[in-house]
Amino acid sequence: MDTLPVASGDAAEPLTPAQLRELYSLMVAVRHLDTSAIAWQRQGIIPGYAPELGQEAAQVGSGYAVDTTRDFVFPTYREMGVARTMGVDMVAYMSTHKATWHGGLYDPLESRLAPIQAVVAGSVLHAVGWAHGQTLDGTDGVALTYFGDGASSQGDIHEALNFAAVLKAPVVFFVQNNGWAISVPTERQVAGGSVAARAAGYGMPALQIDGDDVVAVVEATRRAFAHARAGNGPVLIEAMTYRRGPHSTSDDPGRYRSLDEERDGAGTDPLERFRQRLLADGIADEAFFAGALAAAKAEEDQIRTGIQALGSRPGTEMFDLVFQETTPALQAQAANWREESEHV
Ligand SMILES: Cc1ncc(C[n+]2csc(CCOP(=O)(O)OP(=O)(O)O)c2C)c(N)n1
Ligand SMILES: [Mg+2]
């Protein structure tokens, strides 16, 4: 499905060989960090993680279209690849998985990435609000917000899509349809079978794309950004992909899907697929791939060391950072907590 007018200018420019190689390097870095994070959890370095195995093309490709000098991204809990592509400090990002800090220790304003959001469908409303602020201020930033097939069943999604369209807010809604909402498959959750089809009801253009083709993802996201930035209102992109791993490190997919179903659903690995394409087009060779993997391994080493060195935050922050001015109830809770934890 493609109901978005064809873009001109930058959005229509083909990716250069250097950009294609950069995309591959990013995908390898993300793949390696993602699989390592599962190992870290098994080793007790972090308590939990939500892997994105199989979604690297969707995440790297969409994150690549962001202009961090003016746009703002509103992620879920599974957008490590987007964060890495945007250049966010990955120790600060991973701190949320170490349970050091809710939402990550990176600076959202500087990095242009909102805190990691564990509330399903929670990030979309913030994105619409931020984007409407751009319109009120007369600035030209675009909000990129992520949600899943499962989140599309939440009422917040309707409110966000409706008001974004009514307000002509510059938002790109990026759905990663990875086939699953924990143990519930898309067909038992998304009536009509497509999230993209719903955009028509909001008078919004939509693209349903192959989310495992990184080039297709970059091109679609750039077109959507160009449309929203030009003042034409929001766009919905549904990237069809597959969650190859567990929902999180505490999930066991064997309880609800068989290995055969996994193999059928997953299709071709997006990383391997891109590798074959670069080879066939003469854009990269084995030496380049080996270099990209070595760089990814060195990077993971550094990030793991950084994560291990992270100390805990002062517990009082739980109470200090809730409201600008504290409330009597919060003060009482803080006093209780101090008595129990610090025996004062
Ligand atoms: C408001 C809310 N309801 C329920 C949950 C529990 N929960 C966490 S992830 C998830 C499934 C989300 O599926 P989807 O939107 O497809 O995203 P995916 O995990 O596949 O990336 C649920 C129900 C939650 N975190 N927040
Ligand atoms: Mg899903």
Side-chain angles (χ1 to χ4, degrees), residues 61-290:
S62 54
Y64 199 73
V66 175
D67 176 349
T68 51
T69 64
R70 53 185 170 168
D71 301 327
F72 215 105
V73 177
F74 296 81
T76 74
Y77 41 84
R78 206 186 292 289
E79 266 74 66
M80 184 275 278
V82 177
R84 172 63 183 81
T85 304
M86 290 173 67
V88 174
D89 179 273
M90 294 315 284
V91 174
Y93 180 89
M94 285 290 183
S95 66
T96 204
H97 298 297
K98 191 167 178 200
T100 305
W101 190 242
H102 295 296
L105 280 167
Y106 55 88
D107 179 347
L109 291 180
E110 200 186 300
S111 63
R112 313 298 283 177
L113 181 71
I116 295 166
Q117 173 64 271
V119 178
V120 167
S123 49
V124 286
L125 293 164
H126 299 166
V128 176
W130 183 88
H132 187 50
Q134 294 292 294
T135 310
L136 296 178
D137 290 348
T139 37
D140 67 352
V142 173
L144 170 63
T145 182
Y146 290 86
F147 64 97
D149 43 290
S152 75
S153 314
Q154 291 263 141
D156 285 355
I157 298 292
H158 161 66
E159 293 172 31
L161 293 174
N162 187 55
F163 275 102
V166 166
L167 298 167
K168 276 195 156 218
V171 186
V172 175
F173 294 97
F174 195 95
V175 188
Q176 283 169 91
N177 186 337
N178 63 4
W180 294 91
I182 311 184
S183 55
V184 181
T186 308
E187 59 272 17
R188 277 185 44 214
Q189 172 133 226
V190 178
S194 158
V195 183
R198 295 182 189 169
Y202 300 100
M204 190 186 299
L207 295 165
Q208 191 184 51
I209 58 168
D210 179 348
D212 294 339
D213 175 348
V214 68
V215 174
V217 177
V218 176
E219 286 171 356
T221 317
R222 282 186 170 173
R223 281 178 60 201
F225 265 86
H227 181 89
R229 205 181 306 283
N232 299 314
V235 180
L236 189 147
I237 299 174
E238 183 177 20
M240 305 308 289
T241 181
Y242 192 82
R243 197 198 77 214
R244 289 175 160 245
H247 170 78
S248 73
T249 42
S250 23
D251 175 40
D252 171 11
R255 302 276 296 270
Y256 52 83
R257 67 187 193 191
S258 68
L259 286 176
D260 281 345
E261 280 165 349
E262 275 185 13
R263 266 191 294 272
D264 290 349
T268 315
D269 173 6
L271 184 61
E272 179 56 21
R273 186 168 151 187
F274 192 38
R275 200 178 88 92
Q276 293 300 340
R277 176 173 174 170
L278 294 179
L279 268 178
D281 293 349
I283 288 170
D285 57 14
E286 293 300 343
F288 171 79
F289 298 135

Side-chain angles (χ1 to χ4, degrees), residues 330-343:
L330 204 58
Q331 276 173 313
Q333 283 178 28
N336 273 341
W337 173 81
R338 265 197 309 275
E339 276 170 31
E340 282 177 21
S341 64
E342 296 178 358
H343 310 288

